[in-house]
Structure formats: C-alpha cells, structure tokens
Amino acid sequence: MTMLTREEIEQGLAENRSSPNGAARNAHAEVLVGAAEAIGDGALFRTALDNLINAYLWSAESSKMLVPFARLLQEYDKDPGSFDRWDAHSLFWQFKWVATAIGDSPEIPLESAVGWLDEMERRYRIAGYSERPVRESELWLADAIGEDDRAERAHRAWLAADRDDMSDCHACELNGQGAYAVLRGEDARALELWQPVLAGERTCAEEPHRLLATSLLPLLRLGRFDEARSHHVRGYRMARGNESLLPSIGKHIEFCALSGNESRGLEILAEHAAHMSPLVNVDDQMAFHGGILVLLRRLTELGHGQSPAVPYEGVPHTVSELYEVLRASSLEIARRFDARNGTTRVSDRFLARIGREPLVGVLPLGVRSSALPRPAAAVSAPAAAAVPAPPAADVEELVERARQAREQRHPAADALWAEVGVRVDARPQDEVDPLLAADIADQRALTAARGGAANASELLEAVRDRYRELGRSERAALAELRLASAAAQSGAEPQRIRELLAVALKAAEALDADEPLRMRRIALAELSSIRVESYLRSLEAGPEHEHLHEPGQDHGHGELAAELGAFAAAYAQTLPDLAAEAEEMLGRVALSQGEPERALPLLAASAARAVAAGLPWQAVDALVLRAGVLMSVERPEEAEEAARSALEHSAEVTEAETQGVVRLTLADILLRRTDAAAEAAEHALTAAHWFDQAGLTADGGAQARLVLARAYAREGRHADAAEVLQSTLPDLLEHGEGQAVSVREFLGDLLRQLGDARAAAEQYLLAAEVAKGWEDTRPQAALAQAAAEQLSTARLDREALAAYERSLELYRVTGDAPVAEVRILRSLAWMAPRGDADEAAWARARDLMDQAAGVLEVALAEAGSGEAGEGRAATQLRGELAQTWLQLAQLLDWRVTSYEQAEEEDEGETETGGGGGESSRRAEVDTEALRLEEIELTARAGDLYAELGPDHLGDRLQCVQYAAWTEQEIGREEAGAARLSALVEEFRAMPEGVPDELLERAQSSLDSLRS
C-alpha cells in the first residue's frame, strides 16, 4: 500500500470534516489516523485522532471513540506543551463525550466506568475547570445502576456548580435537566425547562432536534395535542435521515403508534429501514428499536400481525415476526447492561416502554400518509359491522331508534340499521320478526343501490314484494320509487325509467286516504320525477346541449325551475323538508344559469326551512354552497356566517366527505382574513382527517392540506407548512398545470424561508418547467428569477447565471417588465466578480449596472419624462434608478477594497521573500477616482430619493451615510460630516416629523463620523 504524504493527509482531513456523517466518514478517518501515525508527524497524528473522535461522535458508532481518545490522552500526558490552548480545550471537552460513551457500552465493566468518571473529575480539578460536567455524567451513571439517592445528589450538585468553558451549551443542559424531570414523573416541569430550546431561543447542532422528539409523549400525557402535533411535524423534518439521531427517530415512530397514526409510523420506519441493522452503539440501537417495537405491537393488536414489514438484515418478515426478532435482540442488550450494572433497571424501563398503551385515539397530524390496509381478519366480516352505532339497551330499543331515524332521514339511520343487521344475523332466523327482516333487507338493498351494485334492482324488487306480503303498502311504494332511481342511476332507457316513475307515483296515490305517509310518498315521487325528468330531457337533447349553462341560455332550465317552484309552494307548509330540497335545487339551477344573486336567497330559504323542520343536517349542503357563492361575489363576512352555520348544523352528519367539505369551506374563507390563520389551520387539519376517512386523500384531502400549509405559513410555522405540503405534493400536482405551478412556487417560498436554498431553487425550476409552454411568459420568468436568487445564495454560480439569463430573456420577450429586468441585471453584476475576479469581470459588472440604468431611463422616458406625479409606475422606476446608482457605488467600493487587500497581501509576500510576479501583472487601479465616483453616485441617488418624498427617508439616509463615510475614506472628513449634519438638521425641521429610530440612526452616524 502506498504511504500517504503529509499534504495528502491534510487534504483528506479537510475533506473528511465536511463529509456526511456515517460509517463511510468514520472508515476514512480511521485510515487517516493510521497514515498520520505512519509518517511519524506527532502534530498531524493528534489532529487525525481528534478528527476521528468527532467523526465517531456524529454517527451510530459513537461508542468507538474511547480508543482514539485514550491514545490522544496519552499524547497529552507525554507532552502537554505540544497541545496549544485550543487543542487542550478540545481534549478536555471530549472527556464528556467519552463519559457518555462508556456509560452506553455494556462491555466496559462498571469499575472501569466509575474509574473514568473519577479520572475526569481529577483532571478537571487540576485544570481548574468546574465540576458541573462531572456531576452531570455522574447523575446518568447513578440513574442507570439504580442508585437514586446518589443520582439526586449529583443532580443538585450539577445545578449548583458554576458554568465555565467546559459546561455543555444551555440547550443540551436543559435537555438533560428536563429528561431527569420526566424520569421523576414531572412532565409539566420538564416542558417548562425545555421551553427556551423548543422556542428556538437556545439551539445547537442537535437541538431542538432531539428535544422536539423527547417532548412528544409528555405533551400527549398532558393533553397538549396541538404542540405535540407541531413538534412531531417540525422535529421529524429536522431529524430525518440523521444517523446520530436514530434514538429521536425511534421516539417519532413511538409517538405515531401511541397517537393513532400507525400508518405514518410505518412510513417513517420504511424511510429508515437501512438503519435497522445492529449498531455499534448498542444503547442507540435499543432506543431506536424500542420505538419500532411499540409500533409493531400496536399493528399486531390492530390485526396487521401477518402483514409484511420492512426487511431486517436482508430477510423479509411479517410484522409479528419482526417484533419478536427486535424484541429478543433488544432485551439481550438490556440484560447485558443489567449484568454490568448489577440491577434490572435498564430492562425494566425498556419493557415498560414497549408495553405502553395509546395516549389518544386519533390525533390528526395534517401530513399525508397512506391508510393501513384492511387487516385480513376483517375482510370476511360484513362491511356493516365496522360501522359504529350508538349503544342500545336491547335489540328492540335499537330497532325502534333505527325506524325513527329512517322516517326522519337522520344521518345516523344507516349506522343504526347496520348494527340492527349485525345483531339480528346472530339470531336463529325462525326467531326473527318478518317485518324486521324485511326492514333489514330494505336497508341492505338501498345500500346496494347507492353503491351501483348490479343486483340492486333484484334486491329492491324482493323487498317490495315482501312488504306487499306483509301488508305494508307504504313501504312497498317507497321501494317502487327506489327501483326507478336505481334504473336512472344504472343508465336504463328513458322510456323504462319513465314507466317505473309512473308506477311509483300510482303506488303512492293508491295508498289508503288515512295512511299518514300517503302525502309524503306522493310528494317524493313527484320530486323524483321532476329531478329525473330534467336529467332525461338533457340526455334526449343530445350531447351538444350538455353542460352548457351560459347566462341567458335556457336549455330546459326554465321548465325545471317552474316545476320546482310549484312543488316548493305546494308543500311548503305540509312537508317543509321536501320543499327545502326543491329550493336547494332551484338555487343550483340559478347558479347553472350564471345568476348567483338569484341563487343566494333560495339557498338561504332552503337551509332555514330545513332547520325549522327540525332537520338541521339537511341544511348543511345548501349552506356550504351558499358560502361558496358569497365568496365568489366578494361578500366574505356573510360567507363566513353561512359556513359557520353549516358547521354548527353538521354535528349529526355521519358522512365523512360532508364533514370534510364543511370544514374545508370554512378554513378557506377564514384564510382570506388577516387575523384567522390559527382557526383556519384547525379546520383545515380536521377537514384533511375527514377526507382521509372518506377515502378522498388525493382529492379533498390534498386541497385541505394545501389550505393547512398556507395557514401554517401565515402563522410563521414554515417548517410545519413545508412538511405538510411536501407530503401531499404528488396529489396536488395531478390537479392541473395551474395548481402544479402554484404549489411548487409555494413550496419553494417555504424552503427559502427555512434556509434550504438548493431545495427552494429546485422547486422554482420545476414550476418554471411546467409553465414553459404557457403563452404568457411572465410566470416562467419570475420563477426562473426566484430560482436564480436561491442558486446564487447556495453559491451555485454557474446554475444561477443560467437561470438569471433565462429569466432576463423571458422578461424581454414581454417587453413590459423593466423593474424585473433591472433587478436581474443588478444581480448579474454582483455575480460577475465572484471568485478570483480579473479586470474583465469588473468591467462586465460595471457594464451590467450601466445597462440597468439605461433600461430605467428608457422606461421613464416612455412613462412621460419621469417627472414626479406621473403615477405609481414612474415613482417605482425612479426608486429603482436611485437604487441602481447606489448599488453601482457599492460595487465600486468592493472593487477598491479588493484591490487594496490584494496590494497588502503582495506587500506581505515581498517582505517574507515571496514572489511578487502576480502583482506585476495586475492592472493598476485609480482608487481615488473610484471613491470620488462613489460619492457622486450616492449623492445623486440621495437627491433622487429626496424628490420621491417621505416614504424614502430611510433610503436617502443610507445614501448620505455612504457618501459621508466615503468622503472620510479619502481624507475629507469635514465634507462628510457636513453632508450628514445637513441631513440631520433637515430631518429635525420637517413639519411632518421623522421616525425617532431614523433620526437616532442619523445622529449616531454623525457622532461616529466626528469621533
């Protein structure tokens, strides 16, 4: 094997420090240690050992750090003087990591662990460091071995000791203090301690990542569900894929299992399946696998034990099999700890953890996750058995309630009849009342008809015949009507449908005059005939007349409206619920004719009539529709009132889709307000849950999550918003190009807010690609510009340059976007001298700034000479021109500063005997001339801002400050002070006044200039 040179080792160390954490980085670091030792360079060997310790720390192999640390400690003992101040500090800092690694390694005897702790205490005392980190390490060792009194003493001593250079950061210390409170059952105290970290006031490389995960179960136990939801969504985003945070990933999986989100837990497990193999750090392995075991146990309890799980070490397993494998391996690790510690504490705590019961039924998270497959055990069970129904004292009471709900058309009727069916099926058939058997068959036939079953007509005919045999003509008449509706739904011939409708009407009219339901049966038949006949007329008119609802065109709607109006008037007093149905249909007819103002009172009347009739659930659809119409005609306050009323009246609605629609409607309306984002998020979250329950995750669920993400963003919860939006992005992309562009741009905005410039740029570019074929090029241009800005932030200069140039090209095609064009030119100017800029780069930068000014001057001329008062567009153009002059001055300042720094470096090289050849080839720069030009440009910009009025006082102050300080740079201090002094006096004399903050800035700058 070829020996590495010193330069190669140094280069390897530099690369290793920036490599992704994990086994590959660790292996490379190990090679570098061996290479450094082989060449006999002590300083390089120590640097390589330090690098290896750090590599181990940020991986799942942290317990390996003990060996390189021991060797580094030997190097220190041999020659402390070879360690500079920083090297010595780093060595003592790593003692804390080693203390943790020893405690996490069951193969290290307890005596050795205690010995290392004593050694840490001795060395810290000699070096003059506080005992604070020592006592914290002692606390966790004492807790692990069951010495609770010692742990409490160590805890008090930890908090009492002074903080110094060896103390952990505040965020990590608060993590530990809260964790100890949780062990003592003090969840609220823990969350209080953790608050500064969770709020982002105290952070570090792994905080709040770890605490967001650790806080999940305490929050659930305290019923603080909104915080728990947010901590999961935000925290998992931060921890995802991080090898050193596998214990936190396990906590997120456990949280999902205990909050009714088992499918989400499975998805997280699948994302981290590659990390499930045994880890070097067995404590991390046990922590990670513990969360997985909670999930696997819950899945087994829910009937998914025989479902396939993720493979383990390349071997496929079912859920139950994987549970047994991981449980056995984890308990083996726990028992190794117990054997080392002389106590069963580790295994006791582990068993308690994996046996935890759910803390909440279902906590909607907002993020999309696939529904769990229906367990095999439930496939053969009747579908109705899964439908919940209110408990009843006995079957007779339940039947009575079911019949009452049926007559009221109450939403709970289906669930009640389903439960009746389940209970009756369990009885011997000869004991079942014939009428009850007919009613159950009736409900099942109706369910089949609604689902479009092929045998629905046969089932309905059998029900009709059975009711006739039992002498229940009013039920038989209803079955006749359902036969007609089923025929229409299945696409039967119009003549056949009309015949069945006529039969149904005759059957209703033939009922005895004293039959209480005779009028209702007749009215139902009439209303059904009106509805179905309208549909048949549209079919017979031909496809060219379908869906043509332009204002002013009738297409049979006039006849339908007349029939519905007559029906509503005829039955308004006697059958108000059916009259309400007719009025709702009338409202929809008006909307189809493009007459929202005519529809609104009809929908309101329909809802009011249903509520007055004691059927509030029937008002929901009309109110939701009315809310949407009111928003379309820009009456948001009334729309919100209608949506809230719909929500109130939906309390007894059992259809999941309707519940989702109601809440999504209200959430969307609330989001238009500036002060209701939190409530909008709440309703959108619940809407997404209901759509998921209805099997509409990709449709209504996706739209609800989009509203939820926008509401979170409005609240400043950008991480939550991004996670929700990314989870449902594939669904939203299927809803047309317009939405695809919109949601990708929105996601890009969120990622930009989160500082993920590369990912933001990717979304902007993908959105631009979708908009590529649009006739209007401005959306694509704006997206390319946004991508360029993020690529530039990410220092991907070549890609940023291409995106800027593409955006510029597209804006120039439109010919009416001078402001956007100018901003791109200025950005390109700033990019030109990046890196090792030569004279050509500086010349290009200046030329681009000149181009920007030229574009603005042309645009101002076209706007009418650009004088004040020419309107908002001219004002904006003038402001951009002032900004261009200011930025050109700043660019020149960069040029001068770069030149002067290069000159200083050349002088230093000359003094030490260095070359100087580069300096001889560098073009001379007249720095004084450039400084004078800076002053002229900033003064010109300041004057233009002055013309633009008080809205630009801050911009004007910036220009004057710049000019004044540049004057000082060239030795004209008095001139610079005079500029600022004049502006301060002008500010003080302004009759309308100047903001105090602005005046203070100006005076402070003047004072600094004079000092």
Side-chain angles (χ1 to χ4, degrees):
M1 178 178 176
T2 304
M3 183 179 292
L4 296 177
T5 66
R6 175 185 176 86
E7 290 72 22
E8 289 172 332
I9 295 170
E10 288 177 338
Q11 181 180 351
L13 288 170
E15 293 172 352
N16 191 258
R17 292 185 190 101
S18 59
S19 296
N21 299 325
R25 179 192 178 194
N26 296 349
H28 185 208
E30 291 164 359
V31 169
L32 294 172
V33 167
E37 186 176 21
I39 67 172
D41 187 320
L44 190 60
F45 177 54
R46 291 190 296 273
T47 300
L49 284 171
D50 180 80
N51 177 71
L52 178 57
I53 294 167
N54 278 275
Y56 282 149
L57 173 69
W58 302 107
S59 74
E61 299 179 333
S62 57
S63 57
K64 280 186 174 182
M65 73 173 69
L66 179 58
V67 172
F69 177 78
R71 298 189 69 186
L72 190 59
L73 194 60
Q74 289 174 356
E75 292 289 313
Y76 178 80
D77 289 339
K78 284 192 300 183
D79 185 10
S82 65
F83 284 67
D84 63 23
R85 184 166 176 267
W86 169 250
D87 291 337
H89 181 278
S90 176
L91 177 70
F92 278 88
W93 186 271
Q94 290 167 352
F95 238 121
K96 299 182 297 181
W97 302 345
V98 170
T100 300
I102 291 171
D104 292 346
S105 305
E107 66 274 8
I108 297 177
L110 186 59
E111 296 77 11
S112 297
V114 173
W116 270 98
L117 190 62
D118 292 341
E119 180 68 6
M120 178 183 177
E121 181 175 11
R122 183 182 71 81
R123 287 180 179 267
Y124 271 42
R125 185 171 58 252
I126 293 172
Y129 290 122
S130 168
E131 69 168 346
R132 192 177 180 94
V134 180
R135 300 285 76 85
E136 181 182 4
S137 297
E138 181 186 8
L139 161 64
W140 297 118
L141 181 60
D143 176 72
I145 62 179
E147 294 185 2
D148 293 338
D149 291 342
R150 181 183 178 186
E152 181 56 32
R153 289 195 301 272
H155 177 248
R156 289 197 297 267
W158 169 28
L159 299 184
D162 293 333
R163 284 185 56 83
D164 65 3
D165 289 346
M166 278 301 119
S167 299
D168 281 343
C169 74
H170 283 285
C172 289
E173 280 208 339
L174 290 172
N175 183 333
Q177 292 166 24
Y180 186 61
V182 170
L183 287 176
R184 294 183 297 183
E186 301 173 1
D187 287 340
R189 173 60 180 159
L191 289 164
E192 182 182 345
L193 287 166
W194 291 335
Q195 185 54 33
V197 183
L198 296 172
E201 299 167 12
R202 301 284 187 180
T203 62
C204 70
E206 289 194 335
E207 297 296 356
H209 314 48
R210 294 184 302 167
L211 264 185
L212 287 167
T214 304
S215 67
L216 293 171
L217 296 193
L219 287 168
L220 283 184
R221 286 193 290 262
L222 293 171
R224 293 162 62 172
F225 299 137
D226 288 341
E227 293 170 82
R229 177 190 300 115
S230 179
H231 287 196
H232 167 66
V233 173
R234 185 160 57 103
Y236 178 62
R237 181 181 182 82
M238 299 174 80
R240 177 193 283 130
N242 192 328
E243 187 177 280
S244 68
L245 291 176
L246 288 176
S248 296
I249 299 296
K251 290 174 183 176
H252 282 285
I253 292 173
E254 179 180 10
F255 163 80
C256 291
L258 301 180
S259 63
N261 291 286
E262 294 83 5
S263 60
R264 166 81 168 168
L266 266 180
E267 290 170 359
I268 296 175
L269 174 57
E271 285 188 51
H272 295 85
H275 294 95
M276 280 181 56
S277 299
L279 304 176
V280 172
N281 187 329
V282 294
D283 188 66
D284 278 4
Q285 177 182 330
M286 191 166 61
F288 178 41
H289 287 182
I292 297 172
L293 284 166
V294 178
L295 173 66
L296 296 175
R297 194 200 84 243
R298 281 292 302 148
L299 290 170
T300 301
E301 291 172 352
L302 293 172
H304 299 281
Q306 299 309 307
S307 299
V310 296
Y312 180 65
E313 296 192 286
V315 179
H317 290 286
T318 65
V319 168
S320 295
E321 290 169 348
L322 183 59
Y323 176 83
E324 294 301 330
V325 170
L326 297 186
R327 185 178 187 275
S329 63
S330 297
L331 284 176
E332 191 275 329
I333 294 171
R335 292 182 183 115
R336 284 162 56 194
F337 274 108
D338 290 345
R340 194 273 303 265
N341 297 339
T343 173
T344 61
R345 169 154 291 183
V346 173
S347 57
D348 289 344
R349 283 180 175 171
F350 184 78
L351 288 169
R353 179 188 183 186
I354 65 175
R356 283 173 178 155
E357 293 300 318
L359 295 167
V360 61
V362 178
L363 177 65
L365 299 177
V367 291
R368 186 201 199 283
S369 60
S370 301
L372 288 173
R374 196 172 171 195
V379 171
S380 59
V387 181
D394 52 38
V395 174
E396 288 69 25
E397 179 186 343
L398 184 63
V399 170
E400 180 60 31
R401 287 163 55 186
R403 285 172 173 161
Q404 184 178 2
R406 181 179 65 187
E407 294 307 317
Q408 290 181 323
R409 293 193 292 172
H410 193 285
D414 290 345
L416 288 166
W417 278 114
E419 179 64 19
V420 168
V422 169
R423 296 198 189 187
V424 170
D425 286 345
R427 292 181 174 182
Q429 291 304 303
D430 57 357
E431 295 181 10
V432 178
D433 174 62
L435 179 58
L436 178 56
D439 285 343
I440 293 171
D442 181 32
Q443 182 65 29
R444 290 174 177 171
L446 177 59
T447 301
R450 288 171 178 165
N455 65 338
S457 293
E458 295 175 15
L459 294 174
L460 288 168
E461 287 173 354
V463 166
R464 176 199 60 194
D465 295 343
R466 185 60 178 148
Y467 276 134
R468 284 177 178 170
E469 293 172 5
L470 294 170
R472 299 302 298 267
S473 301
E474 81 287 357
R475 298 299 306 167
L478 186 58
E480 295 280 18
L481 186 56
R482 287 174 178 167
L483 274 167
S485 298
Q489 183 177 338
S490 64
E493 290 295 324
Q495 184 57 35
R496 174 59 180 161
I497 296 170
R498 287 187 173 106
E499 290 173 358
L500 290 171
L501 285 169
V503 169
L505 179 58
K506 288 181 179 178
E509 292 173 338
L511 293 172
D512 292 342
D514 57 354
E515 168 57 54
L517 293 175
R518 181 175 184 275
M519 182 181 295
R520 173 170 288 278
R521 295 290 182 264
I522 293 172
L524 274 174
E526 290 176 356
L527 185 57
S528 296
S529 294
I530 293 171
R531 182 187 290 113
V532 173
E533 188 60 43
S534 173
Y535 163 70
L536 295 178
R537 285 197 298 263
S538 68
L539 283 181
E540 292 171 340
E544 67 274 11
H545 295 295
E546 291 184 29
H547 310 298
L548 295 177
H549 305 312
E550 296 87 348
Q553 297 191 25
D554 188 272
H555 302 299
H557 291 108
E559 184 177 353
L560 174 60
E563 291 170 346
L564 289 170
F567 180 92
Y571 294 104
Q573 301 301 318
T574 53
L575 296 171
D577 58 321
L578 297 184
E581 274 193 48
E583 285 174 319
E584 182 184 336
M585 290 176 62
L586 272 170
R588 294 179 184 276
V589 170
L591 288 175
S592 70
Q593 294 179 301
E595 299 182 42
E597 294 296 344
R598 183 162 66 88
L600 287 170
L602 289 166
L603 295 171
S606 171
R609 199 181 299 280
V611 172
L615 309 174
W617 53 85
Q618 188 180 317
V620 172
D621 287 347
L623 288 168
V624 168
L625 183 57
R626 175 175 161 80
V629 176
L630 286 165
M631 287 301 295
S632 72
V633 296
E634 299 184 2
R635 290 158 62 178
E637 292 181 1
E638 294 175 76
E640 182 180 336
E641 181 183 355
R644 289 192 185 281
S645 183
L647 181 61
E648 176 189 352
H649 296 319
S650 69
E652 296 181 76
V653 172
T654 57
E655 187 182 27
E657 181 180 0
T658 300
Q659 292 286 1
V661 169
V662 170
R663 285 162 174 79
L664 177 56
T665 300
L666 180 55
D668 195 37
I669 292 169
L670 290 171
L671 197 58
R672 316 290 178 93
R673 284 174 38 185
T674 59
D675 60 345
E679 187 183 356
E682 177 186 345
H683 292 303
L685 177 72
T686 311
H689 171 70
W690 280 112
F691 283 123
D692 290 347
Q693 296 299 304
L696 298 170
T697 299
D699 300 304
Q703 297 306 318
R705 288 183 171 89
L706 176 57
V707 173
L708 176 61
R710 294 197 183 282
Y712 280 160
R714 185 79 61 78
E715 290 185 275
R717 296 168 59 179
H718 299 110
D720 299 53
E723 193 69 13
V724 168
L725 188 60
Q726 284 180 307
S727 74
T728 196
L729 185 63
D731 299 324
L732 293 169
L733 295 179
E734 298 298 318
H735 294 187
E737 285 189 354
Q739 179 157 282
V741 169
S742 173
V743 296
R744 284 205 184 277
E745 182 180 14
F746 178 31
L747 181 55
D749 293 344
L750 293 171
L751 295 169
R752 174 175 53 79
Q753 291 283 350
L754 293 171
D756 194 343
R758 282 174 177 258
E762 179 185 10
Q763 292 303 321
Y764 291 137
L765 289 172
L766 289 169
E769 186 64 25
V770 175
K772 196 171 183 178
W774 294 2
E775 184 177 349
D776 184 355
T777 60
R778 283 172 295 186
Q780 186 188 355
L783 290 163
Q785 182 181 3
E789 290 167 356
Q790 293 306 298
L791 290 167
S792 178
T793 299
R795 308 300 292 185
L796 298 170
D797 291 350
R798 183 182 304 173
E799 294 85 350
L801 181 63
Y804 271 131
E805 290 178 344
R806 177 58 177 157
S807 179
L808 186 61
E809 176 188 355
L810 291 166
Y811 275 128
R812 284 175 171 168
V813 168
T814 69
D816 62 351
V819 171
E821 188 177 342
V822 162
R823 290 177 178 174
I824 294 172
L825 288 167
R826 291 198 304 243
S827 296
L828 288 169
W830 283 107
M831 288 187 65
R834 275 190 180 176
D836 296 328
D838 55 16
E839 289 305 310
W842 290 110
R844 173 164 169 73
R846 180 167 193 142
D847 177 64
L848 288 162
M849 285 291 186
D850 289 340
Q851 286 184 45
V855 169
L856 289 165
E857 287 163 357
V858 170
L860 280 165
E862 292 176 352
S865 78
E867 296 179 1
E870 288 294 329
R872 183 178 301 174
T875 298
Q876 184 181 19
L877 291 169
R878 286 158 62 79
E880 291 291 332
L881 182 58
Q883 182 61 213
T884 302
W885 289 335
L886 175 59
Q887 289 196 30
L888 177 54
Q890 293 169 331
L891 187 70
L892 296 178
D893 177 70
W894 183 15
R895 177 71 182 101
V896 171
T897 302
S898 299
Y899 178 79
E900 291 175 345
Q901 289 175 345
E903 288 289 294
E904 290 175 5
E905 290 171 4
D906 288 341
E907 289 175 8
E909 290 179 5
T910 302
E911 290 174 3
T912 58
E918 184 65 30
S919 175
S920 64
R921 292 192 298 271
R922 185 182 297 116
E924 291 294 323
V925 174
D926 187 345
T927 57
E928 184 173 356
L930 290 176
R931 292 295 191 196
L932 289 172
E933 187 176 359
E934 288 179 50
I935 295 169
E936 190 275 331
L937 284 166
T938 50
R940 194 193 316 169
D943 291 343
L944 185 49
Y945 277 131
E947 294 175 13
L948 292 174
D951 289 343
H952 294 272
L953 290 176
D955 298 314
R956 185 182 173 198
L957 172 59
Q958 181 186 9
C959 292
V960 174
Q961 284 175 315
Y962 198 108
W965 283 103
T966 308
E967 297 261 27
Q968 187 188 55
E969 286 282 334
I970 59 175
R972 292 163 35 173
E973 293 88 351
E974 289 301 322
R979 286 179 183 275
L980 259 175
S981 179
L983 184 64
V984 169
E985 292 304 315
E986 184 181 341
F987 278 4
R988 294 186 187 282
M990 283 186 176
E992 65 274 17
V994 173
D996 292 341
E997 182 270 335
L998 209 58
L999 189 56
E1000 289 172 8
R1001 270 176 48 201
Q1003 185 63 55
S1004 175
S1005 184
L1006 178 59
D1007 293 342
S1008 298
L1009 199 63
R1010 285 173 169 169
S1011 62

